[in-house]
Amino acid sequence: MRNTTASAMALLLALPVAAQAEIRLGASVSATGPAAFLGDPEAKTIEMMVEDINEAGGIDGEQIALTLYDDGGDPNKARTFATRLVEDDEVVAIIGGSTTGTTMSILDVAEDEGIPFISLAGAISIVDPVREYVFKTPHTDRMACEKIFSDMQAQGISRIGMISGTDGFGASMQAQCKDVAGDQGIEVLADETYGPQDADTTPQLTRIRNTDGVQAVLNAGFGQGPAIVTRNFAQLGFDIPLYQSHGVASNAFVELVGPEASQGVRLPGTALLIGDRLAEDDPQYQVVNDYTAAYRERYGQDPSTFAGYAHDAVALMVDAMRRADEIAPDAIRDALEATQGFVGTTGVYTFSPEDHLGLDPSDFRMLEITADGWKQID
Amino acid sequence: MTWRNKWLQLAILAIAIAVLPLFFPSGYYYRVGALIFVNALAVVGLVILIGYAGQISLGHAGFAGIGAYACALAPEHLGLHPALSPVLGAVVSGVLALLIGRPILRLKGYYLAVATLGFGILVSMVLTNERALTGGPDGMQVADLGLRAVLRDLGWRLSGGEFWYGASGIVLVLGAWIALNLFDSPTGRAMRALHGSEVAAATVGVDVARQKLRAFVISAVYASVAGSLLALQNGYITPDVAGFLHSVEMVTMAVLGGVGSVLGATLGAAILTLLPQVLTVFAEYEQLVLGAVMILVMIFLPQGLLPSIARRLRGRDE
């Protein structure tokens, strides 16, 4: 008798599952390797969000089946995994590409096979020229430069010294900043670089200090380099402002530099960083604080800006799937492109056939590190 | 190696390449197959250097990088057809190997390993830092070969994966054929002689320096062509291709499969290319499993998988 009941129960339970289709979502991020500081929080975010969405009933009753690969930051592996996602796992959409290199490898496959893809990497070349199936959530380096330069203009600064890391992020931002500087009336008088492993940047900073007329210093880079630059900057006793990039917009940076040396540093960041200081009527208040709370509860730490890129990518994709006529790559792509005013942690996204990034420099918030934390200054 | 043995090895390789697609459940397997062939090609080059001539190189990814970036740069800057760029890459790699090989091949053992290591790192640094030319660490786009379009016009529609599976398979068979021919040629015998004993080889009239250099240049050309094929099929290239880890990976593949055996090298490349794909579920333990496999092979099958297994099959007396 008990057996029969159990079988009947099993049958009852199994039926809805069998009848229920699942939505296959693919992801390839650099959870290990040199870009793990990007990919690890991204992977955590994607896993967490998909689980939460499934628990809340999925998308119109359909569960999301996530296939997540770790490409270790290697573009060659990323391409193989992208091929695997499309050909073998038969996903309807892909999220990932923590670095520009891995993104460029994945987007080739996505374009070839017609699968919508949201990238988590910064380079402007990902969405310029616009590719039919490729979108991205992070600001470009160029926008960060524009944001920083407009703050400089407002402060009456027009001649600056730059110091940049030679890694991918630093080198790319250095080139973009020098490219847009002229348009905003900024003159780059000194242009120094440092290696990503360098333990001291005093000589480069000294050269900048000895350059006549420099009114501010801009440091393009992420990782430990900017922390060392900031400390050296304080040790050398500069009396001009220091601007950092969005690459170091995290509490970990302040901890690394120390409270004293980091004071007064200005940088463009996202709302995610100042979640608890946002006004309650701020459009991003709800989404930023919900996400931060969920992430903190699950992983015991604050989400980084990069994790926020992954959050927005998943949220945008799920939103597009809900609006799409059917769960098929082309329908999802069309819905994604029609996204209007979607509020994420990074900014408010509005995609169009000509714009697959959907943000502008105003989505950045200019922040200053003060004695009691981050302060928005624009 | 007998005449029969040579053709047997080639036949096994060619038939495996031709028959395997019948069992492929999806297009993804073509991609993995193509990657295996590209890696195997570079490893066959190392078989000539390490297995035949008994020299070591920890910098061969440098040559792969040169081959890869030749395909990215030559069409853009020199207006060279993408199909000819691998040839340019091979020539540049060969000449460079000739120039640097002359001084560094005087070194032996660890010293040679360190010198080649230095070369690999130099190439990787140039590719990373010459941002204006190479796009820096973000990498650069590689022009399409255009051969697929030609085939399509001839009425033969191939997907990217299928095309590159076939193309790299054919190049691998060619590469293996050349390597197997070399084995029994006077040059091959001279290389193997100096592997056994440099003094003895010199005594019987082998120009030791010349033969070492020859093996180095040939293996550099193999690595370069492999790098070119990788760049062309990926359509995008970053300095990772020339990285130190890639060099180590190549040597590991050669040693795992059996460093004196062309077929063994292919097997080694296949295993090490497949493992990360099989182990995605245990991604965190991937390095652990790779390391354990290497240690076990070194302890129990010191000649590499294929030669050790072949010997066991034939009986120990041989």
Side-chain angles (χ1 to χ4, degrees), chain A residues 48 52 288-301:
Chain A
M48 178 183 89
D52 289 352
V288 165
N289 283 301
D290 286 354
Y291 167 55
T292 308
Y295 193 94
R296 214 181 265 158
E297 189 194 314
R298 182 158 171 155
Y299 298 113
Q301 62 198 81

Side-chain angles (χ1 to χ4, degrees), chain A residues 69-70 73-77 79-81 83-84 87-88 100-101 104-105 108 112 123 131 166-169 171-172 175, chain B residues 25-29 31-32 35 128-129 131 137-138 141 148 230 233-236 238 240 276-278 280 283 286-287:
Chain A
Y69 293 122
D70 169 16
D74 176 0
N76 192 31
K77 263 195 190 166
R79 193 187 167 99
T80 309
F81 283 136
T83 312
R84 184 167 180 175
E87 302 267 359
D88 211 42
T100 302
M104 296 311 276
S105 299
D108 213 31
D112 256 10
R131 294 174 172 86
T166 53
D167 53 292
F169 182 94
S172 165
Chain B
S26 80
Y28 153 66
Y29 293 82
R31 160 74 183 169
V32 177
L35 273 186
T128 309
N129 291 335
R131 199 184 158 78
D138 280 350
Q141 217 113 28
R148 236 173 93 201
L230 189 69
Q233 71 159 302
N234 280 357
Y236 197 81
T238 64
D240 290 306
Q277 296 296 323
V278 178
T280 46
E286 183 192 320
Q287 304 297 330

Side-chain angles (χ1 to χ4, degrees), chain A residues 15-26 50 53-54 57-67 85 88-93 321 326-329 332:
Chain A
L15 269 178
V17 176
Q20 197 173 43
E22 50 174 28
I23 301 169
R24 296 182 185 203
L25 176 67
V50 168
I53 291 165
N54 281 342
I59 297 175
D60 302 333
E62 292 184 25
Q63 296 279 299
I64 303 176
L66 171 71
T67 311
L85 286 171
D88 211 42
D89 303 320
E90 293 172 350
V91 300
V92 291
M321 285 174 174
E326 50 166 340
I327 298 296
I332 297 172

Side-chain angles (χ1 to χ4, degrees), chain B residues 37-49 57 59-69 71 86 89-90 93-94 97 119 171 175 215-231 241-242 246-247 250:
Chain B
F37 300 154
V38 167
N39 284 332
L41 184 69
V43 178
V44 167
L46 281 181
V47 163
I48 296 173
L49 182 70
S57 169
H60 260 53
F63 296 116
I66 293 171
Y69 273 87
C71 288
S93 292
F119 164 74
V171 178
F216 192 67
V217 171
I218 294 171
S219 65
V221 170
Y222 270 86
S224 175
V225 173
S228 297
L229 285 176
L230 189 69
V241 67
H246 190 203
S247 289
M250 286 183 196

Side-chain angles (χ1 to χ4, degrees), chain B:
Chain B
M1 196 186 309
T2 60
W3 178 89
R4 199 178 59 87
N5 198 334
K6 180 178 99 186
W7 291 110
L8 183 69
Q9 287 199 46
L10 270 182
I12 292 175
L13 191 62
I15 290 172
I17 293 173
V19 170
L20 277 176
L22 298 178
F23 304 99
F24 286 173
S26 80
Y28 153 66
Y29 293 82
Y30 286 99
R31 160 74 183 169
V32 177
L35 273 186
I36 291 177
F37 300 154
V38 167
N39 284 332
L41 184 69
V43 178
V44 167
L46 281 181
V47 163
I48 296 173
L49 182 70
I50 305 176
Y52 290 10
Q55 307 302 305
I56 182 79
S57 169
L58 291 180
H60 260 53
F63 296 116
I66 293 171
Y69 273 87
C71 288
L73 293 169
E76 196 182 325
H77 292 283
L78 305 175
L80 201 64
H81 191 274
L84 290 175
S85 319
V87 180
L88 177 75
V91 171
V92 173
S93 292
V95 171
L96 203 62
L98 194 70
L99 291 177
I100 66 155
R102 212 171 274 271
I104 69 172
L105 285 167
R106 300 160 78 102
L107 306 168
K108 291 194 176 76
Y110 306 127
Y111 303 100
L112 178 62
V114 171
T116 50
L117 176 82
F119 164 74
I121 290 177
L122 276 179
V123 173
S124 148
M125 278 179 71
V126 169
L127 294 178
T128 309
N129 291 335
E130 285 306 311
R131 199 184 158 78
L133 192 63
T134 65
D138 280 350
M140 64 184 300
Q141 217 113 28
V142 181
D144 189 61
L145 188 57
L147 198 58
R148 236 173 93 201
V150 174
L151 288 178
R152 192 165 48 224
D153 292 342
L154 294 174
W156 201 8
R157 293 186 77 92
L158 291 175
S159 77
E162 287 163 355
F163 172 76
W164 283 110
Y165 180 90
S168 29
I170 291 169
V171 178
L172 174 63
V173 172
L174 274 176
W177 177 63
I178 294 171
L180 288 167
N181 270 340
L182 189 70
F183 191 86
D184 275 329
S185 72
T187 305
R189 285 174 201 279
M191 284 176 186
R192 286 185 286 145
L194 79 89
H195 185 182
S197 161
E198 281 189 29
V199 177
T203 313
V204 295
V206 173
D207 186 341
V208 172
R210 194 187 163 85
Q211 297 302 344
K212 281 187 188 174
L213 193 59
R214 210 174 254 181
F216 192 67
V217 171
I218 294 171
S219 65
V221 170
Y222 270 86
S224 175
V225 173
S228 297
L229 285 176
L230 189 69
L232 287 170
Q233 71 159 302
N234 280 357
Y236 197 81
I237 199 77
T238 64
D240 290 306
V241 67
F244 169 58
L245 280 178
H246 190 203
S247 289
V248 174
E249 200 177 54
M250 286 183 196
V251 176
T252 314
M253 286 172 179
V255 174
L256 176 70
V259 79
S261 148
V262 167
L263 218 50
T266 312
L267 184 69
I271 292 175
L272 283 192
T273 312
L274 279 175
L275 263 185
Q277 296 296 323
V278 178
L279 294 176
T280 46
V281 194
F282 321 101
E284 287 109 82
Y285 302 106
E286 183 192 320
Q287 304 297 330
L288 194 78
V289 174
L290 281 181
V293 168
M294 263 330 279
I295 294 174
L296 290 176
V297 168
M298 286 286 87
I299 294 175
F300 295 107
L301 306 167
Q303 310 228 283
L305 280 178
L306 204 66
S308 301
I309 292 168
R311 178 163 313 170
R312 199 145 296 185
L313 288 180
R314 268 184 263 134
R316 281 161 193 275
D317 339 310
E318 211 175 335

